[in-house]
Every structure is written in C-alpha cells, then in structure tokens.
Amino acid sequence: MSNQRNADTFLGHGRKFCNADKSHDSIYMDYNATTPVAPEVIQATYEAMRDAWGNPSSSYVAGMKAKAIIAQSRENLARMVGGNSRDIIFTSGGTEANNMVLHTAVEYFRRHHGDAKEGDDGSLPHIITSDVEHDSVKLVAEHLKKEGKADCTFVPVSKTTGRVEADDVVAAVRPNTCLVSVMLANNETGIIMPVHEISQRVRSLKQEGDERARVFIHTDAAQALGKIPVDVKDLGVDYLTIVGHKFYGPRIGALFANGLGVKTPLIPMLFGGGQERNFRPGTENTPMIAGLGKAAELVTAHLSDYESHMQHVRAYLEERLKAVFKDKLHFNNHFQGSDRLPNTCNVSILGPGLQGWRVLSHCKKLLASVGAACHSDHGDRPSPILLSCGVAPEVASNALRLSVGRSTSREDVDAAVEDLQEAVELLERKR
C-alpha cells in the first residue's frame, strides 16, 4: 500500500472517531471529560510520524524536522495563552503539570527558608487552593500535608456564587504562604473562577522583589481552553496548566511558567538527557506535540466561533429541558453573578429513583456523565463539587453533566432530550 493510501486509511479512522458523537445514532455530550481529535490534529500527528521520526536532538534531516515541529508547536501554545514560547514546557498531561507546580512551590520555599518540621509555627510552606479542584491538585496538596512537607488551606466555594471568592483566598494568606492554586473553570459546574482578581489581591499583600515572601499563582486551565479566551498576562498568573484532550488535541499537555527559570522557578521531578532545558527531560514525543500545537492553532484561529456556537447550543439545550421537564428540573450551575463556560449544563431531574447514573443507564442515545470522569466509579454518590456549592444531596444525586462541543447541533439536542424523557418515563413506570 502506498504512503498516501496509508495516510488516507489513518485519517479515515480518525475522522470517524472525531465524529463519534454522530455515529451509531448516539449523541455525545461529555466534552468536558474528553473531546474527539480534530481531523487537522490527526493530519499533523500523522505527518510528524511520517516525516519527523528522528530524535529532535539529532542533526540529520528527520531530527531537524522534529526539532522544528516542536518549536512551532511551542509557539502555537504560547500564542493561544498570550505568553512567550520560551515559557512553555511540554508534559505528559495536566496531572504532571499540576504536580510540578505544587512540588516546585514547596521545594522553592524550603530552599529559601530551610527545612521545617511539622508543627513548627509558620515555617512549613503553606498552599491555598479550593475545595473543588481537580484531584491532580487536591490530592497532591493532601499528600504534601500528610507527609509533613506543607500546610494546606482548602477554601470553600461560595454557596451563593458557586465560585471561590477572592476575599476568602486573601483571608487565608499567611506569611508562609507559597502558592495559591485555583482552577480557571470548574469541570462539573462550568463556573469561571475570578483568577484575575485573586492574583491582583494576593500580589497586593506581598512586597515586590522579596523572594522570601513571594506567593506564586497557579491556575489549572484545562476546562477553559478552547471555550473562552485565556490570557496569562490578564490573569496575572505565574503558572498555567494546558491539557490537550480538552480542546480536540492529543492526550498530552504543557505548562506555562512566566519567565521560566528566571522570574518563575520550575524544579524538575525527572532527571535525564536534558530535554526541555532540563525542566522536563526525556526524548520529546514529537507526533503528539505536533498534534497539540495544531489544536492550539485551531483555538487561536476560531475561538470566537467555537464559543458562540457552544453558547447557542447550550442555551437551546436548557430551553428544551425546561419545556419538557418543567418544575421537575433543577439547574445546579445557575448562580447569580457568576459566569460559566459556554458549553456546560449541570442539571437534575427531580424525583425518587431518578439518580443521574440510573437515568443515563436507561438512555439509548445520549452519552453523558454525572460529573468528573475520574470519579465515574462513584456515580451512585452525590458529587462533592455540587455539595460544596450548596446543592442538596437528594438533588445532587440526580445530577447530569451535559457538555456540548463544536459539532453539537440543535437536532442533537432534540434527540438527547427526547432520549432523556423516555428514560425518565420508563423509570417512573417501574416505581
């Protein structure tokens, strides 16, 4: 088979996957869990596999091509987030990037303040985060606390706004606070956090230039990228986490660090051949990096169209749900005064026996979730995120997270709502 036929076969399979929400009469509405890979991303990945198979550290043609692709992808990511390409480090995904930030903040504090033991007043590095963070932040903070390496404050979200309030973050700051890590948008509710305000308020507390008193600001932007504008300068953050599979890219990620290695430290967790300027060594995964760069390029070029389309479809989805389920419906992410992602609807259909996992198990077309994909094995329990936001347990148990994507249509919405209606009616007849 010729190279072109191989490419056509490869891309054909990719296009089928990218349109998985349209195949087999299913309706995919779980884009906050993962997105299909865009055809342009598959093309870029394939071409890198074919033409840039060399080691990026080598001087022959295939290696030089790989090096050039990596450089271009780094530039594409920087442009997407409004930063400089020299401040982008490629990682295996968001989990690694988040771990790097928390471990860096703690180690940097230790190097400037000396070793401390648990119980020493004010000498342990202090981390502030929210109680609705992804596990790759929350569990790292809990681990550092358990190991006696850091103290942590988990700021609760407001039950009025569903978001972390800057006043509460500022109130938690101590002389030994080394890091504030607050996600840009929540993966279950879609609520957008006031990261810009938090950054400004925290920085105003600390004297500029005093490295011993410095507080680093980090935001996990996994859910926000590809849905709303993200600009690191406007946010005022030191670190920002990028996750490819949330914006139609491959399952790798990157970390932005403002003034990497000069203004903002990054202490490696791995040691090896010196790649990524020793911040994250290991031979670069050129094809996946190529795909990530292409996905970022698409976001930069088309974000306004993506955002507008998702906003329109999500609004139509909520209208149809209200029309069908009327007073049996409760929106779990409608908080006065808070902005939310344009694609995310978190809703409960009220009634006994209508737990979210049970409703979805009786749907014939709709592919969705009850919350975070990494907690899917706890689908029979109310979401801790929703409980933190003040949603009653019996309502939270019935929650469905419906997240739409770039290709979701009004026809898809009609089919999904009809499927939900039939599932609910079937469950109600069984009672």
Side-chain angles (χ1 to χ4, degrees):
M1 184 181 288
S2 68
N3 282 342
Q4 186 57 51
R5 288 179 65 193
N6 274 320
D8 290 343
T9 300
F10 180 83
L11 291 170
H13 288 308
R15 290 189 185 98
K16 182 178 180 181
F17 174 69
C18 188
N19 293 313
D21 52 335
K22 306 294 186 183
S23 64
H24 305 298
D25 209 27
S26 63
I27 308 297
Y28 185 70
M29 287 192 178
D30 204 17
Y31 288 90
N32 283 8
T34 198
T35 56
V37 183
E40 298 91 337
V41 172
I42 296 171
Q43 178 74 45
T45 301
Y46 171 77
E47 290 176 358
M49 286 181 177
R50 183 190 64 196
D51 301 329
W53 48 266
N55 191 312
S57 299
S58 301
S59 58
Y60 41 77
V61 173
M64 293 175 66
K65 284 184 177 180
K67 185 175 182 179
I69 285 172
I70 291 168
Q72 183 59 59
S73 295
R74 203 184 309 274
E75 182 63 40
N76 290 350
L77 286 170
R79 190 176 298 116
M80 177 177 68
V81 300
N84 295 312
S85 60
R86 63 179 177 271
D87 294 335
I88 298 290
I89 292 294
F90 294 108
T91 67
S92 61
T95 293
E96 181 186 349
N98 288 341
N99 273 259
M100 288 179 76
V101 171
L102 270 71
H103 283 283
T104 290
V106 169
E107 177 62 15
Y108 185 83
F109 182 95
R110 186 194 67 78
R111 292 181 183 181
H112 282 77
H113 292 259
D115 290 316
K117 295 180 180 179
E118 189 173 13
D120 288 354
D121 185 26
S123 59
L124 276 179
H126 175 234
I127 296 170
I128 299 172
T129 187
S130 80
D131 66 350
V132 296
E133 295 297 312
H134 189 270
D135 277 352
S136 59
V137 169
K138 178 184 176 183
L139 295 184
V140 181
E142 290 177 347
H143 172 76
L144 290 168
K145 183 174 183 178
K146 181 180 179 182
E147 293 293 309
K149 296 179 179 179
D151 196 4
C152 305
T153 298
F154 297 91
V155 177
V157 295
S158 165
K159 291 178 171 54
T160 301
T161 64
R163 67 181 194 172
V164 182
E165 295 299 340
D167 284 345
D168 296 328
V169 173
V170 170
V173 174
R174 307 173 187 171
N176 57 321
T177 300
C178 65
L179 177 71
V180 173
S181 179
V182 175
M183 62 185 4
L184 189 49
N186 185 262
N187 50 310
E188 291 192 28
T189 64
I191 295 297
I192 299 170
M193 304 297 176
V195 174
H196 169 79
E197 183 184 357
I198 290 170
S199 297
Q200 284 192 322
R201 296 278 301 279
V202 170
R203 292 198 193 288
S204 70
L205 296 175
K206 297 290 186 175
Q207 182 178 349
E208 287 294 329
D210 183 356
E211 289 301 306
R212 287 175 56 85
R214 186 171 180 188
V215 179
F216 295 107
I217 311 294
H218 166 243
T219 189
D220 180 349
Q223 286 298 332
L225 288 166
K227 299 167 188 170
I228 60 173
V230 175
D231 187 291
V232 292
K233 295 185 181 68
D234 179 64
L235 292 171
V237 295
D238 298 294
Y239 304 99
L240 181 140
T241 295
I242 298 167
V243 181
H245 73 99
K246 304 294 188 180
F247 56 96
Y248 292 74
R251 285 180 183 160
I252 65 165
L255 177 66
F256 163 85
N258 186 25
L260 176 60
V262 179
K263 182 179 178 181
T264 302
L266 187 62
I267 298 171
M269 297 175 65
L270 305 173
F271 298 89
Q275 295 86 354
E276 295 293 281
R277 291 170 286 163
N278 275 318
F279 292 113
R280 204 283 185 178
T283 304
E284 299 91 339
N285 189 346
T286 305
M288 294 300 102
I289 290 173
L292 184 64
K294 176 57 71 172
E297 181 183 333
L298 292 173
V299 169
T300 300
H302 305 294
L303 177 61
S304 61
D305 291 336
Y306 297 156
E307 185 178 13
S308 176
H309 173 76
M310 288 186 285
Q311 181 80 48
H312 171 78
V313 173
R314 198 271 311 277
Y316 182 67
L317 170 63
E318 295 188 347
E319 288 173 8
R320 292 298 305 136
L321 288 168
K322 286 188 286 187
V324 169
F325 295 105
K326 300 181 173 61
D327 58 355
K328 292 170 57 178
L329 203 69
H330 182 271
F331 290 107
N332 301 315
N333 62 343
H334 287 193
F335 293 95
Q336 187 173 0
S338 292
D339 295 324
R340 56 188 172 125
L341 295 175
N343 79 318
T344 306
C345 169
N346 196 302
V347 64
S348 293
I349 303 170
L350 306 179
L354 298 182
Q355 293 88 353
W357 66 270
R358 194 183 301 274
V359 171
L360 289 176
S361 69
H362 283 75
C363 286
K364 297 178 180 178
K365 298 179 181 180
L366 177 63
L367 305 177
S369 65
V370 298
C374 51
H375 296 157
S376 59
D377 56 340
H378 303 304
D380 56 336
R381 306 177 193 172
S383 161
I385 303 297
L386 296 184
L387 295 179
S388 295
C389 293
V391 179
E394 64 274 14
V395 177
S397 294
N398 289 20
L400 301 168
R401 183 185 67 178
L402 307 176
S403 48
V404 303
R406 299 173 188 174
S407 63
T408 310
S409 66
R410 290 167 69 99
E411 291 74 21
D412 292 331
V413 169
D414 290 336
V417 173
E418 181 181 359
D419 197 27
L420 279 172
Q421 183 179 21
E422 292 175 357
V424 168
E425 289 175 350
L426 177 62
L427 286 168
E428 288 178 331
R429 286 196 299 269
K430 288 183 177 181
R431 291 207 306 270

